[in-house]
């Protein structure tokens, strides 16, 4: 049965056109009329005004609606995040006529135009190498030298090398000085622990070489100084050591018990003009075969010379070490010849080398023959009455 669609009356069409939300501005027409008049400008005008409201585009399509609310939520979350960031506001100080008080640790360091003061205040690391051996007076000598080193300005490292295995007595004496130290053993394969005092000098080159190996392996940039435990040292010596740039030397009185003239003391070291070495102090009994007349405790050098070939002497083609075959009295000059070529590469300290800063006592001299006037030739007879 055929169905017939009847158009609304003109009054009803007027109501629908003005009150229905989806009504168009043009009256409905038949398909024949729409196809015949679709190309006219009037029809285009009515079709352009016939689209629904733009908000309905978001209500009927889920994807644009999701995108719109996603961007809105992201924007609100970003604002919440930015509101909780710490604010860096400049510190405003009220203007005042009184000067500001600066803490002492923030004050700038003002140095005077004095080269000696600048060198003394240098914070160069000092490494003091001390060979030692187990004997009755070991704790006394280590304690005496340690209490001298504790008065030296840091940084300082005391490297003590034992001839044999380390002993608890020496370790306790070193801890009592409160000086930063390292206590190691040496020459255990040479049976140094069971040897007597007569063989003490035989192990000293090996002990000092063990200390040099530690410095070279750890690449410690420091000023190295060989300090015997029997020697006597002033604090001014360790202050002057920080002036050394490459190799420094100074005169040292050497006390000896092998002197036949009864003096028991000879001055060995450089003769300086300003800081330049121009000659040597020595005695007539000293051998002329020695190239440099220096004592073992009369020089110091920069540790970088141990591994930097550009700072060494041309004779040092290998590792710089003490020779265990050198005769007594030649160990110092044999070692110095590996560091410098001539006196032009030396630095005399202090200026003009005019100060005695330490006394060198030969190793193994337990009963010293002091210089004339320092000891009484005969024993004192004292009678103490009993009460």
């Amino acid at each position: 049965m055929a169905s017939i669609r009847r158009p609304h009356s003109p009054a009803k069409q007027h109501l629908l056109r003005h009150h229905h939300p989806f009504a168009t501005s043009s009256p409905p027409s038949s398909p024949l009329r729409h196809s015949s008049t679709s190309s006219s400008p009037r029809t285009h005008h009515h079709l352009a005004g016939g689209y629904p409201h733009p908000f309905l585009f978001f209500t009927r399509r889920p994807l644009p609606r999701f995108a719109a609310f996603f961007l809105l939520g992201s924007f609100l979350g970003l604002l919440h995040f930015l509101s909780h960031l710490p604010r860096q506001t400049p510190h405003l100080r009220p203007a005042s006529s009184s000067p500001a008080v600066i803490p002492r640790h923030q004050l700038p360091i003002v140095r005077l135009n004095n080269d000696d003061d600048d060198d003394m205040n240098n914070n160069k690391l000092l490494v003091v190498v001390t060979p030692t051996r187990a004997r009755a007076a070991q704790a006394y000598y280590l304690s005496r030298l340690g209490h001298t080193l504790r008065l030296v300005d840091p940084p300082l490292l005391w490297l003590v090398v034992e001839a044999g295995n380390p002993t608890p007595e020496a370790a306790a004496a070193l801890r009592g000085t409160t000086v930063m130290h390292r206590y190691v053993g040496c020459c255990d394969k040479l049976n140094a622990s069971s040897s007597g005092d007569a063989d003490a000098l035989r192990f000293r080159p090996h002990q000092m070489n063990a200390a040099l190996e530690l410095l070279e392996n750890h690449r410690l940039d420091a000023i190295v100084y060989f300090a015997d435990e029997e020697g006597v040292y002033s604090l001014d010596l360790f202050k002057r050591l920080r002036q050394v740039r490459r190799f420094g030397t100074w005169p040292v009185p050497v006390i000896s018990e092998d002197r036949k003239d009864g003096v028991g003391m000879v001055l060995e070291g450089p003769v300086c003009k300003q800081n330049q070495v121009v000659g040597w102090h020595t005695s007539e009994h000293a051998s002329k075969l020695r190239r440099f007349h220096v004592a073992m405790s009369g020089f110091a050098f920069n540790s970088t010379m141990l591994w930097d070939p550009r700072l060494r002497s041309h004779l040092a083609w290998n590792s710089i070490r003490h020779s265990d075959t050198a005769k007594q009295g030649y160990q110092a000059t044999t070692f110095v010849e590996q560091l410098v070529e001539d006196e032009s590469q030396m630095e005399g300290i202090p200026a003009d080398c005019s100060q005695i800063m330490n006394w060198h006592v030969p190793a193994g001299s337990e009963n010293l023959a002091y210089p004339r006037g320092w000891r009484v030739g005969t024993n004192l007879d004292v009678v103490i009455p009993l009460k």
Side-chain angles (χ1 to χ4, degrees):
M1 184 175 186
S3 61
I4 300 174
R5 176 178 294 181
R6 298 178 60 184
H8 298 287
S9 60
K12 193 173 184 178
Q13 289 181 4
H14 177 73
L15 294 176
L16 291 175
R17 182 167 58 249
H18 290 279
H19 297 282
H20 199 277
F22 302 105
T24 58
S25 59
S26 61
S29 58
S30 63
L32 295 177
R33 183 180 178 181
H34 179 72
S35 59
S36 61
T37 62
S38 60
S39 59
S40 61
R42 184 177 180 181
T43 305
H44 281 287
H45 173 73
H46 288 289
L47 291 176
Y51 284 109
H53 195 274
F55 182 74
L56 299 177
F57 178 77
F58 294 98
T59 58
R60 293 189 177 185
R61 297 180 181 271
L63 185 61
R65 180 172 53 186
F66 171 78
F69 283 101
F70 177 78
L71 294 177
L72 179 61
S74 301
F75 178 72
L76 295 177
L78 181 61
L79 289 180
H80 179 74
F81 173 76
L82 295 177
S83 63
H84 287 77
L85 290 178
R87 299 180 179 179
Q88 297 181 357
T89 57
H91 298 281
L92 300 178
R93 295 182 179 180
S96 60
S97 59
S98 60
V101 179
I102 303 176
R104 184 176 181 181
H105 64 277
Q106 296 182 0
L107 291 175
I109 299 177
V110 180
R111 297 183 179 273
L112 300 178
N113 190 12
N114 193 336
D115 296 337
D116 293 337
D117 294 339
D118 292 341
D119 293 335
M120 288 184 181
N121 295 330
N122 188 16
N123 292 327
K124 186 74 172 181
L125 173 64
L126 297 181
V127 176
V128 180
V129 179
T130 301
T132 184
R133 68 187 189 281
R135 62 194 190 280
Q138 183 184 25
Y140 162 72
Y141 284 121
L142 291 178
S143 300
R144 186 182 67 173
L145 179 56
H147 283 80
T148 302
L149 296 178
R150 69 183 298 181
L151 302 177
V152 180
D153 296 334
L156 182 140
L157 174 62
W158 190 16
L159 190 53
V160 182
V161 185
E162 178 78 38
N165 295 324
T167 61
E169 294 79 9
L174 294 175
R175 288 193 301 268
T177 60
T178 67
V179 178
M180 185 177 65
H181 66 277
R182 184 171 182 180
Y183 180 41
V184 296
C186 171
C187 316
D188 189 47
K189 296 182 179 179
L190 301 177
N191 198 17
S193 300
S194 59
S195 60
D197 294 339
D199 298 331
L201 298 178
R202 183 165 60 93
F203 302 109
R204 294 182 70 84
H206 300 280
Q207 293 174 261
M208 291 184 287
N209 289 338
L212 295 178
E213 290 179 3
L214 287 175
L215 296 175
E216 188 172 358
N217 293 336
H218 294 281
R219 290 294 195 270
L220 293 180
D221 186 5
I223 301 298
V224 184
Y225 177 58
F226 298 105
D228 297 328
E229 56 183 347
E230 298 92 351
V232 181
Y233 309 92
S234 64
L235 293 178
D236 187 56
L237 168 65
F238 299 99
K239 294 180 181 179
R240 299 284 184 176
L241 287 180
R242 289 193 167 96
Q243 299 180 9
V244 177
R245 294 185 297 270
R246 180 181 176 185
F247 182 90
T249 181
W250 56 92
V252 177
V254 178
I255 301 176
S256 176
E257 58 184 359
D258 298 331
R259 299 282 297 178
K260 298 180 180 179
D261 53 3
V263 176
M265 187 271 294
V266 62
L267 184 63
E268 290 187 353
V271 178
C272 303
K273 183 178 181 181
Q274 297 298 326
N275 291 333
Q276 182 65 37
V277 178
V278 296
W280 299 97
H281 291 288
T282 184
S283 63
E284 58 183 1
H285 300 284
S287 176
K288 298 181 180 180
L289 299 178
R290 287 199 297 173
R291 175 64 181 86
F292 303 110
H293 299 272
V294 293
M296 189 61 69
S297 61
F299 66 90
F301 63 96
N302 198 315
S303 62
T304 56
M305 302 177 70
L306 297 175
W307 57 81
D308 193 350
R310 296 173 298 177
L311 301 178
R312 301 179 181 179
S313 171
H314 66 283
L315 299 178
W317 60 273
N318 204 348
S319 299
I320 297 179
R321 296 294 184 269
H322 287 272
S323 176
D324 56 348
T325 60
K327 296 181 179 180
Q328 179 65 20
Y330 292 86
Q331 291 88 353
T333 181
T334 304
F335 181 77
V336 173
E337 289 175 7
Q338 303 177 59
L339 298 174
V340 296
E341 298 180 2
D342 50 25
E343 287 80 0
S344 63
Q345 300 178 355
M346 297 182 177
E347 309 164 26
I349 58 174
D352 296 332
C353 301
S354 57
Q355 295 183 12
I356 302 299
M357 298 181 292
N358 66 297
W359 291 74
H360 176 72
V361 180
S365 301
E366 299 294 341
N367 298 320
L368 295 178
Y370 290 97
R372 183 178 302 171
W374 283 21
R375 66 178 181 179
V376 180
T378 59
N379 296 330
L380 295 179
D381 295 333
V382 179
V383 179
I384 302 178
L386 296 177
K387 295 183 180 180

